[in-house]
Amino acid sequence: MNVKELLSLRGKITLVTGGAGNYGKCIVEGLAEADGTVIIASRNMDNVKDVVSRFCEKGFDVHAMQVDQGDHESVLSLKKAIIDQFGRLDVFVNNAVARPMKGYDDPMENFAKSMEINATGAMDILREMASLIEQGGGGSIINIASMMGMFGPDLSNYKGTSMGNPPPDYFFHRAGLINLTRYLARIYAGKNIRVNSISPGGLFNNQPERFVENYSQKVPVGRMANNDDIKGIIVLLASEAGAYINGENILMDGGMYA
Ligand SMILES: NC(=O)c1ccc[n+]([C@@H]2O[C@H](COP(=O)([O-])OP(=O)(O)OC[C@H]3O[C@@H](n4cnc5c(N)ncnc54)[C@H](O)[C@@H]3O)[C@@H](O)[C@H]2O)c1
């Protein structure tokens, strides 16, 4: 098969949770530019509708659906809505993340709230969407983890800023998601479902200048990630071009941990 055909997502129904967020919008754009049909699922429909109409103005086939991944009934409603509107699902990008914990000393209730959405909720939506993909004959699942799920925090990045230390729940659930990826790749063996994760580095989002400076000088590429950096890996893993990549975690950090 020609490589352009291998990378094409034409005719594929793809779902991105948290698709109106920072990395989410880049992922949606990549899938849509590769000719996929993209469903953005998020808690807040007002935010999503704005993002969807901007993508539709560019001629992309992008749709909005509601989900709260911390609520099992809501996950089941999303599944039903996908079946009713599209009849199947080919690609699931598990990208949503909740950040209820702000620092190391936060109350444990915030840690528990984080686990409810980022651990239990993530497992729930992964299992439900995988069953949808299985019913349709197979496809690809991509978990968006983080380099913070692979390494401890580099606290010197925050020196001279008022950003504070990053919260511990994030390191816990991103690391869990990476190994859950390997687990699921085994569980779905023989069912034509591949499961991979991407561990991105920090996306530039107008962070304080000092932070961007501290961070960028440690990256061989010399900068934070931009809006295009994740698109190629997403399309590779989502498409037939990635047919022999399974159970893998791809670190996308500009060489920071080389
Ligand atoms: N931004 C970065 O620099 C960075 C770096 C590495 C990895 N990541 C990863 O990228 C992914 C997206 O992160 P981001 O920074 O773009 O986050 P973000 O906060 O911009 O977006 C997260 C999205 O998740 C949604 N969400 C939160 N709780 C939800 C729930 N209960 N149900 C459904 N949706 C819910 C939010 O509404 C939001 O749209 C995450 O997996 C994160 O770990 C981000």
Side-chain angles (χ1 to χ4, degrees):
M1 218 164 151
N2 176 290
V3 73
K4 286 185 190 159
E5 287 167 34
L6 285 170
L7 284 162
S8 170
L9 295 175
R10 189 169 293 279
K12 300 280 182 202
I13 310 298
T14 71
L15 169 70
V16 184
T17 52
N22 294 320
Y23 259 125
K25 279 185 277 204
C26 311
I27 293 167
V28 169
E29 189 165 72
L31 294 168
E33 285 170 351
D35 292 329
T37 293
V38 191
I39 306 162
I40 299 182
S42 199
R43 274 172 314 175
N44 185 332
M45 284 306 271
D46 291 336
N47 286 352
V48 183
K49 277 182 180 149
D50 281 355
V51 174
V52 167
S53 55
R54 263 180 277 137
F55 279 125
C56 289
E57 278 163 22
K58 290 184 181 180
F60 295 147
D61 188 18
V62 176
H63 307 258
M65 286 187 182
Q66 207 270 333
V67 75
D68 175 353
Q69 80 171 39
D71 173 356
H72 182 61
E73 290 308 314
S74 172
V75 170
L76 292 183
S77 304
L78 172 66
K79 204 173 163 186
K80 184 174 180 313
I82 294 170
I83 284 290
D84 289 349
Q85 194 170 338
F86 298 100
R88 62 169 213 286
L89 182 67
D90 301 300
V91 176
F92 173 38
V93 185
N94 171 34
N95 167 74
V97 72
R99 304 178 193 270
M101 207 174 190
K102 302 296 172 213
Y104 183 67
D105 294 320
D106 265 27
M108 286 314 291
E109 295 87 82
N110 294 3
F111 190 92
K113 181 74 196 160
S114 175
M115 292 310 130
E116 197 181 309
I117 299 163
N118 298 314
T120 309
M123 181 61 226
D124 185 29
I125 198 164
L126 275 165
R127 201 162 54 181
E128 296 301 336
M129 295 309 140
S131 85
L132 210 49
I133 292 175
E134 189 180 348
Q135 278 168 39
S140 170
I141 295 175
I142 306 164
N143 287 318
I144 307 301
S146 171
M147 71 180 187
M148 290 188 181
M150 299 175 66
F151 307 101
D154 183 346
L155 300 180
S156 67
N157 286 337
Y158 306 93
K159 220 171 163 185
T161 76
S162 56
M163 291 171 82
N165 292 335
D169 62 318
Y170 193 77
F171 289 75
F172 190 84
H173 59 67
R174 294 301 86 180
L177 190 58
I178 292 169
N179 211 34
L180 185 65
T181 299
R182 300 183 185 111
Y183 170 89
L184 292 173
R186 296 280 184 191
I187 290 291
Y188 289 102
K191 294 182 171 160
N192 196 29
I193 299 179
R194 294 179 293 110
V195 189
N196 293 288
S197 61
I198 302 172
S199 288
L203 178 67
F204 176 71
N205 184 30
N206 297 308
Q207 289 92 341
E209 208 173 309
R210 181 71 193 273
F211 173 83
V212 177
E213 215 176 274
N214 290 342
Y215 187 105
S216 302
Q217 69 189 13
K218 293 173 192 145
V219 184
V221 160
R223 59 170 176 80
M224 297 188 74
N226 68 29
N227 290 354
D228 287 337
D229 286 327
I230 202 165
K231 291 198 267 181
I233 306 178
I234 282 286
V235 172
L236 170 68
L237 294 178
S239 68
E240 281 306 300
Y244 209 59
I245 307 173
N246 193 16
E248 186 57 84
N249 174 52
I250 300 178
L251 174 62
M252 188 198 86
D253 69 344
M256 193 170 196
Y257 286 97

